[in-house]
Amino acid sequence: MHATQVTDGIFRLSADASDLLFEAIWPIPNGVSMNSYIVKGEKIAIIDGVCGWDGVPETLYAQFDEMKLDINDIDYVVVNHLEPDHSGWLETFKTMRSEFQIITSEKGKPLLEAFYGITENIRTVKTGDTVDLGGGRVLAFADIPNVHWPETMATFDTKSGTLFPCDAFGSFGALGDAPYDDQMSDEQLAFFENEAVRYYSNIVAAFCLPVQKALKIVDTLPVKIVAPGHGLVWRKNPKKIIDDYRRYASYSKGPCKDEVTVIWGSMYGNTELGVAPIVEAMEAEGVKVHVHNVPEAPLGDILASIWTSTGVVLAMPTYEYKMFPPVAAVLDELGKKKVLNRKAFRFGSYGWSGGAQKELEEIVTRHKMSWDFLEPVEFKGRPSASDLEVLKDRGRALAREVKAMVAAAPVIE
Ligand SMILES: Cc1cc2nc3c(=O)[nH]c(=O)nc-3n(C[C@H](O)[C@H](O)[C@H](O)COP(=O)(O)O)c2cc1C
Ligand SMILES: [Fe+2]
Ligand SMILES: [Fe+2]
């Protein structure tokens, strides 16, 4: 990995990570990049850092050498966000150089002490505050609380119009040494758009209101470049990722795309018999269908597809008077991630008492998910031919309602 120049006086240092679960939960099949930025005026600031995972800070330090940047020349470390994926290197960095000043938000200060025992050389800033690096380079700060933690802030270089929003506008996907949107083909940009949805739905989803508040601030700034803490740096078309995030934030409450996500689990194949017929019926109506079998499917994949889906089908049997547990666990997580207002349908098999339906209603109510369900279909044991016909009817009805909701929704750029 090499340091690259973002624009005059601004450089991106980065490390890619893979083969790990992000936040110890989320698989990152295509890796993730962790970006850090050097901003040079007469004084030098480093904005954001990288995690302390094995080999990662060393990758960053090697890039200092490559840039012929003496670590002792760094005057400011701007900590936009204290989550250790960005601040984890601070401890080792401090052992290498102790005199720099840390710039962070007011809520960041106690976290610096809590995580790293750092109590000195901290300057707290709030929205509207600036730091003059000299040479016409002024950094301005804005609190963007809860994107992703309460202390999060964004930094804006007024000279170049570069926004450093840390987790906001980030995406998964390792980038190597070609991290700029202007270096990507349309195909690569489409790939990274999926990685942005995966990142948003897995990491940021629970914070859509704070994202919308942050977007209001960003809309007032003359942003020319978006340089996030993860993923692509947007130089050619910064509006793209800003508008994408506006759409992703709106997907919490829906409507989203002409898509349906099917989440199904089945012990002995009875519920499963209904899956293919309903999927075919929905596809025949022209909606895209994502199918996930639990518990095998990673929750991260399910979230990524449901985030863009206006419709949901849940299929599971009754298990010990409740929902088949892996589907219940996924539904509970969807509630926590604020997957709201979906058009939905549930079907499944039971043996004697049923009970899955009741628990489903409990979970949806508890999380105030406001899913609008078609009438459920339950069958005792195997589904009959007429049960399967009813399922297909429901699939067609769901697909049509999804299309109507999307068609009636206001367009969000
Ligand atoms: C471990 C276990 C627990 C079950 N608990 C219930 C139950 O509480 N109430 C009920 O009506 N059926 C119960 N059943 C029956 C299943 O719901 C029924 O066999 C159903 O057809 C399974 O669907 P599947 O083949 O899609 O897994 C249970 C079955 C198993 C294996
Ligand atoms: Fe974070
Ligand atoms: Fe992060």
Side-chain angles (χ1 to χ4, degrees):
M1 304 272 311
H2 299 288
T4 56
Q5 181 164 345
V6 177
T7 187
D8 190 28
I10 301 183
F11 301 84
R12 172 188 179 267
L13 316 178
S14 185
D16 284 338
S18 55
D19 297 329
L20 55 87
L21 295 174
F22 199 78
E23 295 180 350
I25 319 175
W26 311 108
I28 40 171
N30 302 305
V32 61
S33 68
M34 276 153 310
N35 306 331
S36 187
Y37 299 92
I38 297 286
V39 180
K40 286 185 175 172
E42 281 152 12
K43 295 192 165 177
I44 297 180
I46 181 164
I47 301 181
D48 298 334
V50 292
C51 55
W53 294 324
D54 272 0
V56 171
E58 290 76 8
T59 306
L60 197 74
Y61 299 139
Q63 291 165 37
F64 279 79
D65 294 343
E66 192 183 281
M67 285 179 66
K68 304 202 173 4
L69 184 72
D70 188 330
I71 211 159
N72 293 309
D73 292 339
I74 291 184
D75 303 287
Y76 299 108
V77 172
V78 178
V79 181
N80 279 325
H81 175 30
L82 259 294
E83 189 171 2
D85 59 328
H86 304 281
S87 65
W89 68 301
L90 268 175
E91 257 181 327
T92 55
F93 188 68
K94 265 193 87 65
T95 62
M96 295 158 73
R97 167 162 172 74
S98 56
E99 297 91 70
F100 62 88
Q101 189 170 44
I102 293 181
I103 297 173
T104 194
S105 66
E106 284 168 4
K107 286 188 180 157
K109 190 176 178 186
L111 295 181
L112 275 169
E113 180 172 11
F115 286 105
Y116 306 112
I118 298 175
T119 53
E120 290 177 354
N121 296 334
I122 301 171
R123 171 164 168 193
T124 58
V125 289
K126 56 187 183 321
T127 300
D129 288 350
T130 55
V131 166
D132 192 343
L133 298 183
R137 186 137 250 159
V138 175
L139 297 179
F141 306 97
D143 290 309
I144 50 167
N146 296 310
V147 186
H148 155 229
W149 282 11
E151 86 298 356
T152 312
M153 64 176 199
T155 301
F156 185 64
D157 171 47
T158 54
K159 186 175 185 182
S160 65
T162 305
L163 179 70
F164 303 95
C166 202
D167 278 346
F169 312 124
S171 38
F172 279 145
L175 283 159
D177 294 320
Y180 300 101
D181 67 334
D182 45 274
Q183 297 171 317
M184 303 270 157
S185 65
D186 287 350
E187 209 172 46
Q188 285 170 309
L189 283 174
F191 172 85
F192 281 104
E193 188 167 336
N194 284 336
E195 287 298 307
V197 171
R198 175 187 286 279
Y199 175 81
Y200 190 97
S201 61
N202 289 200
I203 309 300
V204 189
F207 308 101
C208 288
L209 284 178
V211 167
Q212 281 163 334
K213 283 187 189 156
L215 281 163
K216 284 200 178 127
I217 297 169
V218 170
D219 285 341
T220 66
L221 299 172
V223 175
K224 296 207 180 87
I225 298 173
V226 175
H230 304 285
L232 283 184
V233 176
W234 302 82
R235 290 194 296 208
K236 185 176 164 195
N237 191 3
K239 195 173 174 314
K240 154 113 177 97
I241 191 68
I242 293 170
D243 288 342
D244 281 352
Y245 261 60
R246 207 183 306 281
R247 254 197 350 272
Y248 304 156
S250 81
Y251 286 167
S252 173
K253 292 189 177 166
C256 318
K257 296 188 184 176
D258 274 348
E259 296 177 7
V260 177
T261 292
V262 179
I263 304 161
W264 68 275
S266 176
M267 296 176 282
Y268 293 105
N270 295 299
T271 304
E272 183 180 2
L273 286 171
V275 174
I278 194 171
V279 169
E280 280 164 28
M282 292 190 292
E283 284 175 341
E285 290 292 326
V287 298
K288 182 171 177 183
V289 184
H290 309 271
V291 183
H292 299 283
N293 175 213
V294 291
E296 279 79 15
L299 187 55
D301 288 359
I302 299 174
L303 270 167
S305 61
I306 208 166
W307 200 255
T308 59
S309 294
T310 302
V312 186
V313 173
L314 300 174
M316 89 302 294
T318 291
Y319 178 97
E320 294 174 0
Y321 304 95
K322 303 271 186 187
M323 274 172 88
F324 182 51
V327 183
V330 168
L331 185 60
D332 191 56
E333 187 61 29
L334 298 181
K336 291 179 188 163
K337 291 289 192 194
K338 298 197 176 12
V339 179
L340 310 176
N341 298 336
R342 278 2 186 211
K343 191 81 208 170
F345 171 60
R346 180 256 154 177
F347 72 92
S349 178
Y350 68 103
W352 50 93
S353 59
Q357 183 64 29
K358 186 162 178 280
E359 192 188 10
L360 179 145
E361 285 160 15
E362 281 165 9
I363 295 174
V364 168
T365 306
R366 174 154 44 87
H367 289 297
K368 300 188 175 72
M369 294 165 83
S370 303
W371 286 15
D372 180 19
F373 280 90
L374 300 179
E375 191 187 337
V377 173
E378 293 206 286
F379 36 85
K380 197 163 181 166
R382 273 177 154 224
S384 65
S386 71
D387 289 329
L388 296 179
E389 287 310 313
V390 178
L391 285 183
K392 287 191 221 166
D393 274 352
R394 291 284 196 285
R396 282 187 282 269
L398 184 77
R400 282 189 213 122
E401 293 205 30
V402 160
K403 285 195 293 186
M405 284 168 76
V406 175
V411 176
I412 297 169
E413 273 186 84

